[in-house]
């Protein structure tokens, strides 16, 4: 099975300017496709911006809203799948969500962040209730989490047990928590034997300072590609043959003793 070339878009776009963010995503998709990527991953809440405060209700849209239609057109135009973050409206509730759209423009998966970080998110968003959301892309089982979710090992292990090969984590990782990008994410990839694409915002935005450092970590705990602190598009390979060999050599999942862990829940 061939590798899945994956592009990570590290950018904050323009908070509150959906049209500008769609333009930036379109340009990144063109560059990613030219480099042979089959998947482009954008950061948390990329469609609208993260630090948008009172504009959250105004900019939130349904999963099949105009933003998803515009991104489906981008995916089809450039022939690659796109994962992006956005505020999802469902009736009176608003979720911090991410959506995966295939290269044919079909919506493949929609995930709602289950662990909300800080006062801003807890004020505006409802936490999701479904831990494992997956889709298949080019023979790879894709799983979705968002930012703070990946800092809970239970979430990533749930994906491992459900067969996730590549975990996509759009994020808004801020100073002074850069150790998550530098250390926690590669460890999560190793201890649960999967690839993890952690894709961050960058630079100042409202009261936040995003640290960049987006990465694609492999099941051996080695980072395949790493962005710096600025706007950047980086590309890495998700190799299913290497993943299979790594899982065979590292028996974490096989050696688990679930009967001992009941007290953890």
């Amino acid at each position: 099975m061939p590798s899945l070339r994956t592009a990570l878009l590290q950018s904050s776009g323009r908070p509150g300017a959906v049209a500008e963010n769609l333009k930036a995503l379109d340009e990144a998709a063109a560059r990613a496709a030219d480099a042979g990527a089959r998947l482009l991953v954008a950061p948390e809440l990329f469609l609208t911006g993260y630090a948008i405060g009172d504009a959250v209700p105004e900019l939130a849209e349904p999963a099949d809203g105009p933003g998803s239609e515009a991104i489906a057109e981008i995916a089809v135009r450039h022939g690659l799948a796109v994962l992006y973050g956005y505020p999802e409206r469902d009736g009176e509730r608003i979720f911090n969500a991410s959506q995966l759209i295939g290269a044919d423009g079909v919506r493949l998966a929609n995930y709602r962040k289950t662990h909300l970080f800080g006062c801003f998110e807890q004020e505006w968003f409802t936490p999701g209730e479904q831990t494992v959301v997956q889709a298949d892309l080019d023979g790879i089982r894709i799983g979705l989490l968002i930012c703070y979710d990946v800092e809970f090992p239970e979430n990533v292990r749930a994906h491992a047990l459900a067969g996730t090969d590549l975990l996509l984590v759009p994020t808004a990782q801020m100073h002074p928590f850069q150790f998550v990008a530098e250390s926690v994410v590669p460890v999560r990839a190793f201890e649960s034997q999967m690839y993890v694409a952690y894709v961050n915002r960058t630079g100042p935005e409202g009261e936040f300072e995003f640290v960049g450092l987006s990465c694609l970590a492999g099941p051996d705990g080695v980072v395949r590609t790493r962005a710096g602190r600025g706007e950047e598009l980086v590309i890495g390979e998700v190799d299913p043959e290497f993943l299979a060999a790594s899982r065979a050599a590292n028996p974490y999942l096989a050696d688990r003793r679930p009967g001992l862990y009941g007290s953890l829940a």
Side-chain angles (χ1 to χ4, degrees):
M1 185 183 299
S3 296
L4 176 64
R5 183 163 293 182
T6 302
L8 284 55
L9 172 59
Q10 179 167 287
S11 171
S12 290
R14 289 186 58 187
V18 171
E20 291 296 319
N21 294 333
L22 287 170
K23 180 181 179 182
L25 189 65
D26 189 31
E27 292 172 351
R31 292 163 54 202
D34 286 346
R38 292 283 297 151
L39 171 63
L40 171 65
V41 185
E44 182 176 4
L45 294 175
F46 183 77
L47 182 65
T48 60
Y50 184 90
I52 54 176
D54 294 349
V56 169
E58 173 189 349
L59 295 176
E61 64 173 58
D64 59 354
S68 72
E69 293 177 357
I71 291 172
E73 293 175 1
I74 291 172
V76 171
R77 180 160 56 250
H78 299 292
L80 79 175
V82 178
L83 184 284
Y84 69 100
Y86 74 109
E88 179 195 355
R89 177 175 290 284
D90 184 358
E92 295 300 315
R93 299 178 302 171
I94 300 174
F95 299 91
N96 183 337
S98 65
Q99 185 154 227
L100 178 64
I101 296 180
D104 57 359
V106 174
R107 294 187 295 118
L108 300 178
N110 189 75
Y111 171 76
R112 296 166 171 177
K113 189 173 186 178
T114 55
H115 295 72
L116 301 178
F117 179 80
C119 296
F120 166 69
E121 291 189 17
Q122 292 170 11
E123 177 182 0
W124 291 109
F125 298 110
T126 298
E129 296 295 335
Q130 187 173 357
T131 302
V132 177
V133 172
Q134 298 172 307
D136 292 322
L137 182 66
D138 291 358
I140 303 291
R141 179 63 55 87
I142 304 290
L144 308 181
L145 291 178
I146 298 175
C147 197
Y148 194 39
D149 290 330
V150 81
E151 298 176 40
F152 294 81
E154 299 90 343
N155 283 339
V156 184
R157 183 52 56 84
H159 270 276
L161 297 176
T164 292
D165 300 316
L166 168 61
L167 187 62
L168 306 183
V169 189
T171 188
Q173 181 64 63
M174 57 197 71
H175 179 80
F177 306 111
Q178 50 265 33
F179 66 88
V180 174
E182 294 170 337
S183 301
V184 173
V185 169
V187 169
R188 289 285 177 271
F190 178 70
E191 68 189 7
S192 281
Q193 287 298 295
M194 63 178 65
Y195 285 88
V196 179
Y198 187 78
V199 186
N200 200 9
R201 306 179 71 82
T202 181
E205 188 178 329
E207 63 184 287
F208 308 110
E209 177 72 29
F210 298 115
V211 301
L213 302 175
S214 301
C215 66
L216 176 66
D220 54 357
V222 175
V223 171
R224 300 301 193 271
T225 186
R226 166 86 70 187
R229 295 299 186 102
E231 300 266 342
E232 195 169 350
L233 182 74
V234 296
I235 295 176
E237 302 285 345
V238 174
D239 183 349
E241 293 186 2
F242 181 85
L243 177 59
S246 181
R247 286 172 169 171
N250 293 280
Y252 277 135
L253 300 183
D255 287 350
R256 291 171 65 253
R257 296 182 62 192
L260 301 179
Y261 312 147
S263 62
L264 297 178

